[in-house]
Amino acid sequence: MLKLTGVNMTFKPGSVNEKRALIDVNLVIHPGDFVTVIGGNGAGKSTLLNVVAGVCNNESGRIVLDGIDITRKPEYKRAAYLGRVFQDPMMGTAAGMIIEENLAMAKRRGKRRSLRWEITREERAEYCRELAKLGLGLEERLQDKVGLLSGGQRQALTLLMATLQKPKMLLLDEHTAALDPKTARKVLQLTQDLVAQEQLTTLMITHNMKDALRVGNRLIMMYEGRVIFDVEGEEKRSLDTRDLMEKFEMVSGGEFANDRMMLG
Amino acid sequence: MPAGHFYAVFIHSGGCARCNASPIDPSAGSAIAGREQKPMNVMLAMQDAFAQGLLWAVMSLGTYISYRVLQIADLSVDGTFALGGCISATLIVGGMNPFFALIFSLLGGMIAGAVTALMNTFLRIPSLLAGILTMLGLYSVNMRIMGKSNTPLLGEDTIITLAGNVLPFSKNVINLLIGIVFCVGLIAVMYWFFGTEIGCALRATGDNAKMARALGTNTDNMIILGLLLSNGLVALSGALVAQSQGFADVGMGTGTIVIGLASIIIGQVVFRFLRGNFALKLLAAVLGSVLYRVIIAIVLQLGLDTNDLKLFSAVLVAVALSVPLLREKYKASRLRKEAE
Ligand SMILES: Nc1ncnc2c1ncn2[C@@H]1O[C@H](COP(=O)(O)OP(=O)(O)O)[C@@H](O)[C@H]1O
Ligand SMILES: [Mg+2]
């Protein structure tokens, strides 16, 4: 589904602050894979997703999504293929617009926009149905400004928006990190439901090792811009947090594994 | 007779504005002649304020697109307002029909807006600076267009004189009617446009550009479209004002951005009940523009020196801009007190 070949990404190249955020990343993700991504702060996890989404342009290497070379496509064109949810619940929705306007924008992700008025009656009915599935009562509030919703509600809405128009891939960047534990669990459960329902190929960054182990069929660990560990299936299921920590200490040359990734 | 009706309404509200000012009116209770003289002046001043307010409101609607929808303080409007006036005046003197001249002013403003937007999007110059550069450059452009700093329209046809030929009203009333037609028409068109798919993408770009891009919106194009429409309206307003006042001047746009912001913010603060619906918010901006002119007319009647007007406007906008924050702080401190 997604194939990264020799991808490098350097921030501020040539300056004193030069930062090699991705170093020769090679990664093949198969259709239906649900990959969790872990790694310490600054390991390059977000950069990996951003390079796929076109937020930043990789300096070398190729990115092919479902047979389409998207390496040089701008972010807004790649949006046609990708559903995205960010860490900050405020980033995924437009606060000043009402819920159904946000959904209507998401429904038209990657489509040509015209001078038609948004939102037909059938469309509204569909939004109601989909919102009802979230179980947050949002189906009663189609005309409410999104800015009135809580962080958890907004994140759930963003998740729905990312999948309303089935994407080739779902990219989740610590999308539960800013929520309180209870809401985080709920949103994660919702994520699993949606992914299973729509059989979405998913790349999910998380800072929570237990979640990383429990969710998905495959796990990758990043360290200083490289993918240093990649397990799937049975092998992944047999892992526990202790194994992950050992693995981390091994590749980081004994660096003590109490980095932020090791929390939880 | 809708026209007559509007006339009556505006005269009436003009009177009210006068009443508010009367406690400090020194002529109150003086000689009969004086008392009759003064209200007439005030009445005319108010009529004029309403008419000017509505013609300038077209500019406020344009500024609304940049300032409120895209959340960009676009300073190019100081130049594009004058540009609209200069294009119209030059074309009219050259023999063009004043209605067509309006269209060319609109187009001129759109081009200027696109220049600012391209500097912002393609060259990544911050929008504030891009606007200043366009504003500065337009001064020379406007001088080039007119070939001099001021073009009088004395004896030329303008949309006001043409309308005056067919309608039996005074110049002030015709200004007022033209202002109403343009404002109502524009509110309707803008309400429609910002409800379309493209309009929503434009609003989302201003609201949350990251989200807009993630949903497939080319945000650069939306900024270009927004500033193009915004400056087009501002130039149209400049053209209307020039035709109404009977001349265009390269300096006529100075402070336009301040007046635009003042109208939007005064409208929002004073007409707080006009919320929710987008068309109502636009209406609030239009009424804010009218109220701004009324306030200016009142302080002038009260004897403010015209040279001090710009300082007064600047202070007025600073105060209006700080009202929402002050209101928040007041609320917060009251809540704290209650909690104690
Ligand atoms: N826009 C940027 N400019 C400069 N450096 C950046 C930028 N974004 C990320 N970096 C750097 O790149 C490295 C990887 O960052 P990131 O991918 O965000 O890490 P994480 O794994 O925590 O998500 C970090 O060292 C970070 O400081
Ligand atoms: Mg990150």
Side-chain angles (χ1 to χ4, degrees):
Chain A
M1 179 55 79
L2 178 71
K3 189 169 176 204
L4 283 81
T5 335
V7 171
N8 283 283
M9 171 72 213
T10 308
F11 287 108
K12 308 204 174 75
S15 79
V16 279
N17 295 324
E18 182 177 287
K19 177 77 209 174
R20 297 191 68 188
L22 292 180
I23 304 165
D24 192 32
V25 172
N26 295 288
L27 191 65
V28 177
I29 293 173
H30 307 289
D33 265 0
F34 188 158
V35 185
T36 55
V37 185
I38 56 170
N41 261 336
K45 306 180 299 293
S46 296
T47 308
L48 176 70
L49 253 59
N50 285 339
V51 157
V52 174
V55 178
C56 28
N57 280 311
N58 51 313
E59 58 199 67
S60 64
R62 262 161 51 93
I63 304 170
V64 177
L65 179 67
D66 198 18
I68 311 161
D69 189 337
I70 57 169
T71 315
R72 291 283 158 245
K73 284 200 179 189
E75 180 184 2
Y76 75 91
K77 284 205 175 135
R78 298 189 202 186
Y81 317 121
L82 301 170
R84 291 159 65 196
V85 185
F86 315 103
Q87 176 171 354
D88 183 350
M90 307 300 144
M91 287 324 300
T93 43
M97 297 169 74
I98 60 178
I99 292 182
E100 69 172 20
E101 283 172 339
N102 273 274
L103 285 165
M105 294 261 319
K107 182 80 187 164
R108 289 158 179 76
R109 178 167 49 77
K111 299 251 167 74
R112 252 198 108 69
R113 286 166 216 275
S114 72
L115 285 176
R116 259 197 317 272
W117 256 55
E118 294 214 340
I119 309 167
T120 58
R121 190 171 305 158
E122 304 87 78
E123 230 182 303
R124 195 167 281 137
E126 180 194 346
Y127 299 159
C128 276
R129 270 200 314 280
E130 296 295 331
L131 284 169
K133 285 187 202 158
L134 301 182
L136 296 169
L138 293 182
E139 65 277 12
E140 311 280 336
R141 302 177 61 181
L142 276 178
Q143 306 295 324
D144 273 7
K145 284 233 173 88
V146 167
L148 298 172
L149 307 184
S150 69
Q153 287 173 324
R154 279 179 80 162
Q155 209 62 326
L157 179 62
T158 310
L159 203 53
L160 175 60
M161 284 165 58
T163 53
L164 197 58
Q165 178 77 247
K166 189 179 174 185
K168 288 187 190 298
M169 254 191 104
L170 183 61
L171 304 179
L172 310 168
D173 188 349
E174 299 203 35
H175 69 305
T176 61
L179 307 174
D180 66 81
K182 197 171 148 234
T183 315
R185 263 199 305 282
K186 212 168 162 184
V187 170
L188 185 59
Q189 186 57 51
L190 184 66
T191 309
Q192 288 177 276
D193 294 347
L194 278 170
V195 169
Q197 232 175 67
E198 305 276 329
Q199 311 210 322
L200 299 168
T201 311
T202 304
L203 204 50
M204 179 177 96
I205 301 176
T206 175
H207 63 286
N208 186 320
M209 277 207 292
K210 283 193 194 122
D211 287 347
L213 288 169
R214 188 170 58 79
V215 177
N217 67 320
R218 184 173 166 193
L219 178 148
I220 62 177
M221 187 192 285
M222 292 190 68
Y223 179 72
E224 295 194 339
R226 299 174 202 270
V227 176
I228 54 158
F229 187 45
D230 186 345
V231 279
E232 60 184 311
E234 200 50 51
E235 195 186 349
K236 170 175 183 275
R237 243 167 286 148
S238 66
L239 288 175
D240 62 17
T241 48
R242 190 192 302 264
D243 299 326
L244 283 184
M245 276 198 259
E246 270 169 18
K247 190 80 203 163
F248 184 75
E249 277 180 43
M250 210 170 74
V251 292
S252 63
E255 188 177 315
F256 193 55
N258 67 350
D259 192 274
R260 202 173 83 88
M261 74 169 267
M262 298 305 159
L263 297 179
Chain B
M1 285 281 286
H5 176 67
F6 275 121
Y7 187 39
V9 170
F10 280 105
I11 291 288
H12 176 69
S13 8
C16 286
R18 195 194 84 86
C19 291
N20 290 340
S22 63
I24 7 175
D25 186 347
S27 71
S30 65
I32 293 172
R35 228 190 306 178
E36 276 180 356
Q37 194 78 34
K38 190 101 187 175
M40 272 316 293
N41 285 341
V42 172
M43 201 98 103
L44 281 177
M46 282 305 145
Q47 267 186 41
D48 186 54
F50 271 88
Q52 289 300 311
L54 285 167
L55 296 179
W56 281 80
V58 172
M59 179 277 292
S60 306
L61 290 174
T63 310
Y64 195 97
I65 299 176
S66 54
Y67 183 63
R68 274 285 184 251
V69 179
L70 282 178
Q71 310 198 4
I72 290 174
D74 175 19
L75 298 195
S76 29
V77 295
D78 276 34
T80 37
F81 188 82
L83 175 69
C86 295
I87 291 178
S88 249
T90 306
L91 291 178
I92 288 173
V93 170
M96 185 184 272
N97 176 304
F99 286 101
F100 286 129
L102 288 182
I103 295 173
F104 280 95
S105 293
L106 180 80
L107 292 177
M110 288 171 130
I111 293 170
V115 170
T116 303
L118 288 172
M119 279 197 271
N120 179 227
T121 54
F122 277 89
L123 304 179
R124 300 285 160 207
I125 298 173
S127 55
L128 207 60
L129 190 53
I132 291 173
L133 294 176
T134 303
M135 171 177 81
L136 185 70
L138 279 176
Y139 187 86
S140 303
V141 172
N142 292 339
M143 282 298 278
R144 280 267 173 212
I145 290 172
M146 295 208 296
K148 54 193 172 185
S149 62
N150 187 296
T151 303
L153 291 173
L154 269 175
E156 302 285 347
D157 276 344
T158 65
I159 55 167
I160 287 90
T161 62
L162 288 186
N165 291 343
V166 287
L167 297 171
F169 300 120
S170 74
K171 181 174 175 287
N172 262 339
V173 178
I174 286 175
N175 273 333
L176 222 114
L177 289 176
I178 289 175
I180 290 172
V181 167
F182 272 92
C183 286
V184 170
L186 280 171
I187 288 178
V189 171
M190 285 170 73
Y191 179 73
W192 164 79
F193 173 72
F194 284 104
T196 64
E197 291 171 352
I198 294 177
C200 277
L202 211 166
R203 283 163 58 210
T205 299
D207 194 317
N208 182 347
K210 189 180 166 85
M211 168 264 201
R213 273 192 301 275
L215 294 181
T217 304
N218 184 341
T219 47
D220 281 353
N221 281 354
M222 288 301 131
I223 290 173
I224 295 169
L225 178 64
L227 291 189
L228 182 142
L229 294 176
S230 162
N231 281 285
L233 293 186
V234 172
L236 175 65
S237 177
L240 288 170
V241 168
Q243 294 200 20
S244 149
Q245 70 192 7
F247 67 88
D249 189 286
V250 282
M252 69 187 275
T254 312
T256 298
I257 183 68
V258 175
I259 298 169
L261 298 191
S263 309
I264 293 169
I265 294 157
I266 291 173
Q268 187 190 338
V269 170
V270 175
F271 305 101
R272 293 186 67 197
F273 51 93
L274 294 178
R275 278 185 303 185
N277 187 305
F278 187 69
L280 291 181
K281 289 184 192 161
L282 294 178
L283 179 64
V286 169
L287 295 180
S289 169
V290 172
L291 187 57
Y292 174 82
R293 290 291 150 190
V294 169
I295 294 171
I296 297 292
I298 290 172
V299 294
L300 285 180
Q301 289 284 322
L302 291 178
L304 184 85
D305 190 319
T306 39
N307 286 329
D308 296 333
L309 208 52
K310 293 241 190 298
L311 177 61
F312 177 81
S313 305
V315 172
L316 188 67
V317 172
V319 170
L321 272 172
S322 55
V323 162
L325 181 72
L326 293 179
R327 196 180 276 147
E328 285 290 307
K329 282 201 169 157
Y330 174 72
K331 256 193 221 154
S333 78
R334 255 215 342 223
L335 282 177
R336 253 202 313 279
K337 281 216 188 83
E338 273 169 22
E340 273 165 20

